[in-house]
Amino acid sequence: MARAGVTVDRLTRAAADLADEVGFQNVTVSALARGFGVKPAALYAHVKDIRELRVRVAELALGEMADRAAAALAGRSGKEALVPFAAAYRTYAKEHPGRYAATQLELDSESLDVSAGRRHAELTRAVLRGYDLAEPDQTDALRMLSSTLHGYVTLEMAGGFRRHPREVDASWSRALDALDAVLRNWPPA
Amino acid sequence: MARAGVTVDRLTRAAADLADEVGFQNVTVSALARGFGVKPAALYAHVKDIRELRVRVAELALGEMADRAAAALAGRSGKEALVPFAAAYRTYAKEHPGRYAATQLELDSESLDVSAGRRHAELTRAVLRGYDLAEPDQTDALRMLSSTLHGYVTLEMAGGFRRHPREVDASWSRALDALDAVLRNWPPA
DNA sequence: TGCAAATACTTAAAGGCTGTAAGAAGGGGT
DNA sequence: ACCCCTTCTTACAGCCTTTAAGTATTTGCA
């Protein structure tokens, strides 16, 4: 019986792809094993349990998002940075719903703390540099920005905006206008 | 063998309580049956499948949130309405994480469309009345408001804000200041 | 080159879950 | 009292995760 050539990386990528197809919650060890032409138990040689697999997918996704965010930022600042950054975020989520869902795992797990999660957070903070906010306003604004992007994308993908005819792309663009406006003119305490 | 007195309502409330304890995703038919001192199969006399149970929990939660939102609004408008409305939202989510998670089910399911989901959406729109925005700005603002609240609460509960020392309550308050500011001064197209 | 150790994989099995089908037991209404 | 509807149990099929023990393949080193 020839070996299937499973590795942690190939497993993680397969899990991410499967998540994008069938949803993050529906990724199972069994389904992955089937994809590799291998028995489920075989995968436990590469991964401790399904939880580890999920964390790895989250790391992968956060890394990919950070890459796109970095490219979108590329020397720009202010609204010139905000808009493409936000677009990269939303596009990634829609292209990779399973991977995006993975990033919503309890962010506590130390693993995510390091590596990709931190990097993505720092890039988000970089967006704010053009708005020159002093602490603690910067952190407050960062939290609001993250919330709005994450909330928008989540609600949109869950179908929360489908009940109203207004085109979502247009609304999105106006939300960014509003975000830009409030960041430029952050209210005093 | 005396009957356990299971009803759809008692089942739904038990599921909601269990969700708040162990997480929405970890609510199982088996665990609920255990709680009622009954075999799992017995519950299928009251509920078609676990999906229906989840939808019922979502409806329950949306109804409870709408009740609180209505009380928080009570004749107020503008920031006077926004702040308690947002507080009701965030408090509910923190007190009832499992119920709150239930509200994030694919909102497509027709059942949610009617009843509680609609009611909650209308209350959120009511918050905006004090800001007198014409369409389509009102819908755009509604989407942004919903996104920010949902995103903030989600990220906070997932631990996304725990890495920075800034107190979350203070940040939240400033986010509402910012939201109020931008709603009062919605940028022109 | 040859063989021992490390690694990948299989089989087997325990235990948990959802859901269906068939039958027993409880209760209400006549 | 009896019938019938509803609730509940038993039994089972099928899926899942995870562990343990054994077999096969590959690696690395003498």
Side-chain angles (χ1 to χ4, degrees):
Chain A
M1 52 198 76
R3 297 203 171 179
V6 178
T7 65
V8 181
D9 283 353
R10 298 226 285 143
L11 200 47
T12 303
R13 263 172 297 161
D17 291 346
L18 185 58
D20 286 336
E21 273 175 49
V22 303
F24 184 59
Q25 288 303 331
N26 301 316
V27 171
T28 69
V29 172
S30 297
L32 285 169
R34 244 171 272 136
F36 279 98
V38 138
K39 302 294 169 190
L43 301 190
Y44 290 87
H46 303 94
V47 128
K48 184 176 153 290
D49 54 18
I50 202 176
R51 166 91 195 156
E52 177 187 333
L53 195 55
R54 289 200 239 259
V55 170
R56 282 187 190 280
V57 173
E59 281 170 344
L60 173 68
L62 282 167
E64 289 174 351
M65 285 187 78
D67 289 344
R68 295 205 189 183
L73 246 52
R76 286 176 264 260
S77 78
K79 196 173 184 184
E80 296 282 298
L82 174 65
V83 170
F85 175 84
Y89 190 98
R90 179 161 171 254
T91 301
Y92 185 83
K94 291 172 98 165
E95 282 177 12
H96 299 293
R99 282 167 158 89
Y100 185 73
T103 66
Q104 301 179 48
L105 271 185
E106 293 92 274
L107 305 162
D108 314 283
S109 26
E110 323 85 53
S111 20
L112 293 189
D113 219 10
V114 231
S115 68
R118 253 195 156 52
R119 192 170 143 237
H120 187 264
E122 273 158 25
L123 284 164
T124 308
R125 200 176 276 270
V127 174
L128 296 179
R129 271 205 263 288
Y131 293 98
D132 121 294
L133 292 155
E135 288 294 6
D137 289 352
Q138 190 181 71
T139 294
D140 295 342
L142 173 65
R143 288 173 174 174
M144 181 179 179
L145 171 61
S146 306
S147 299
T148 305
L149 296 184
H150 171 60
Y152 204 101
V153 161
T154 302
L155 291 179
E156 179 185 1
M157 294 202 308
F161 296 157
R162 277 204 267 274
R163 282 191 286 263
H164 196 284
R166 169 72 165 162
E167 314 86 56
V168 179
D169 283 355
S171 275
W172 168 257
S173 177
R174 302 309 312 288
L176 293 182
D177 291 344
L179 226 27
D180 171 66
V182 81
L183 289 173
R184 267 188 289 104
N185 205 356
W186 193 254
Chain B
M1 52 201 76
R3 298 204 172 182
V6 178
T7 66
V8 182
D9 282 353
R10 298 227 283 142
L11 201 46
T12 303
R13 264 171 297 160
D17 291 346
L18 186 58
D20 286 336
E21 272 175 48
V22 305
F24 184 61
Q25 289 302 330
N26 300 318
V27 172
T28 69
V29 172
S30 299
L32 285 170
R34 243 171 272 138
F36 279 96
V38 136
K39 302 295 169 190
L43 300 191
Y44 290 91
H46 303 93
V47 128
K48 186 176 152 291
D49 55 17
I50 202 177
R51 166 91 197 158
E52 178 188 332
L53 194 56
R54 288 200 240 259
V55 170
R56 283 186 191 279
V57 173
E59 281 169 344
L60 172 69
L62 283 167
E64 288 174 351
M65 285 187 79
D67 290 344
R68 295 205 187 184
L73 246 50
R76 284 176 266 261
S77 78
K79 195 174 184 182
E80 296 281 299
L82 174 66
V83 170
F85 175 84
Y89 190 98
R90 178 161 171 254
T91 302
Y92 185 83
K94 290 170 98 165
E95 281 177 13
H96 299 293
R99 282 166 158 90
Y100 185 75
T103 67
Q104 299 179 49
L105 271 184
E106 291 94 89
L107 305 163
D108 315 283
S109 26
E110 323 85 52
S111 19
L112 293 190
D113 218 9
V114 230
S115 70
R118 248 190 163 55
R119 192 170 143 238
H120 187 263
E122 273 157 26
L123 284 164
T124 309
R125 200 176 278 269
V127 174
L128 296 179
R129 272 205 261 287
Y131 293 98
D132 117 299
L133 293 155
E135 288 293 8
D137 288 352
Q138 191 182 70
T139 294
D140 295 342
L142 173 65
R143 288 172 175 175
M144 183 180 178
L145 171 60
S146 306
S147 298
T148 306
L149 296 184
H150 171 60
Y152 205 100
V153 160
T154 301
L155 291 179
E156 179 185 1
M157 295 201 308
F161 296 158
R162 276 204 267 278
R163 284 191 286 263
H164 196 283
R166 168 72 168 163
E167 314 86 57
V168 179
D169 284 355
S171 274
W172 169 256
S173 175
R174 302 308 313 287
L176 293 181
D177 291 345
L179 226 27
D180 171 66
V182 82
L183 288 172
R184 268 190 289 106
N185 205 356
W186 193 254

